[in-house]
Amino acid sequence: MKEIVDPIHTCLVVWDVQNALVERIFNKEEFVNHLETLIKGVRGKMPIFYTKITPLKNGFQSSWSYYTTMKNFGISPEEAVKMPHFMSKPEARDVYPEVFPSSDDIVIEKSTASIFVGTDFEQMLRNRGITTIMFTGISTEIGIESSARDASNRGFYTVIISDCVSSSNKELHESALKVLDKMFIVRNSSEILKSIPN
């Protein structure tokens, strides 16, 4: 583990830890405490990337986006097109205060469930010689799993920090972790911090 998460070639991703999402997760206090400790333990040793859901302007979203809105909220196509995105308010999109990025961290705004789609993330990692990506954030079964698969398909070592990922749905979170554990490296934050030199 020490070799895989060596800060020389590792980065931390804090995926969508935004006010609107943190308020929905099943284990808010525990999740925030573990993530805050982890970030403090690695800050200054490796790059930290934060992502923020930033929806496309209404009328410019994909038809698939409208379909999933219809499916999740049980509404008509006309209602889906008019419905404001739950992240449309700036305060909803803000990173949660306890884990707010520093001026040295990188914030990536994106509109998909993969950190690689429509961003410069991969180019930045290649430029920096990063080969390991550690994932934290919300939601385990959506953006974490999607981005982890994309990372491994691009040849990156992929690490999921199990007590620093969460979801609004505990059952889906736990199921996703089981799948992720079969495909990637899954460790808790204490194990990760022990593998990183002080």
Side-chain angles (χ1 to χ4, degrees):
M1 274 305 297
K2 286 185 178 180
E3 184 179 344
I4 291 172
V5 300
D6 187 325
I8 291 172
H9 57 241
T10 300
C11 74
L12 176 69
V13 170
V14 182
W15 178 267
D16 294 356
V17 184
Q18 296 164 272
N19 289 332
L21 296 180
V22 173
E23 295 304 328
R24 296 176 172 192
I25 61 176
F26 71 90
N27 60 343
K28 175 182 169 181
E29 187 175 339
E30 178 186 2
F31 167 81
V32 170
N33 287 341
H34 286 300
L35 183 56
E36 185 177 13
T37 300
L38 176 71
I39 290 170
K40 286 179 179 174
V42 304
R43 181 164 276 144
K45 298 175 183 175
M46 66 178 66
I48 302 177
F49 291 85
Y50 285 76
T51 67
K52 292 173 69 175
I53 297 170
T54 306
L56 299 174
K57 186 174 176 60
N58 210 11
F60 291 88
Q61 297 175 37
S62 68
S63 59
W64 173 252
S65 176
Y66 292 124
Y67 173 79
T68 57
T69 300
M70 290 164 48
K71 182 179 177 183
N72 291 332
F73 292 96
I75 58 178
S76 71
E78 294 76 22
E79 291 171 310
V81 171
K82 293 177 183 174
M83 184 175 182
H85 194 283
F86 78 103
M87 283 292 193
S88 58
K89 294 182 179 177
E91 60 271 19
R93 290 198 305 270
D94 284 345
V95 175
Y96 199 68
E98 278 75 28
V99 294
F100 204 76
S102 77
S103 58
D104 292 329
D105 299 330
I106 301 115
V107 178
I108 296 175
E109 300 201 14
K110 46 81 190 171
S111 61
T112 73
S114 172
I115 196 168
F116 294 94
V117 176
T119 74
D120 293 323
F121 180 66
E122 183 172 7
Q123 182 180 351
M124 287 190 279
L125 298 196
R126 303 287 186 201
N127 291 347
R128 185 73 176 256
I130 289 171
T131 56
T132 298
I133 306 170
M134 300 194 301
F135 285 101
T136 66
I138 306 166
S139 292
T140 315
E141 75 279 12
I142 304 174
I144 299 296
E145 187 168 355
S146 176
S147 292
R149 289 174 186 272
D150 276 0
S152 67
N153 287 335
R154 287 167 164 81
F156 292 98
Y157 282 89
T158 305
V159 180
I160 313 296
I161 305 181
S162 58
D163 55 352
C164 293
V165 292
S166 188
S167 171
S168 60
N169 186 311
K170 184 178 181 182
E171 184 181 351
L172 290 179
H173 160 80
E174 290 174 348
S175 295
L177 272 181
K178 287 178 184 175
V179 172
L180 291 165
D181 194 33
K182 288 189 174 294
M183 301 177 66
F184 310 114
I185 299 165
V186 177
R187 298 286 187 276
N188 66 38
S189 55
S190 295
E191 293 174 283
I192 294 296
L193 288 170
K194 284 176 186 173
S195 300
I196 294 172
N198 293 325

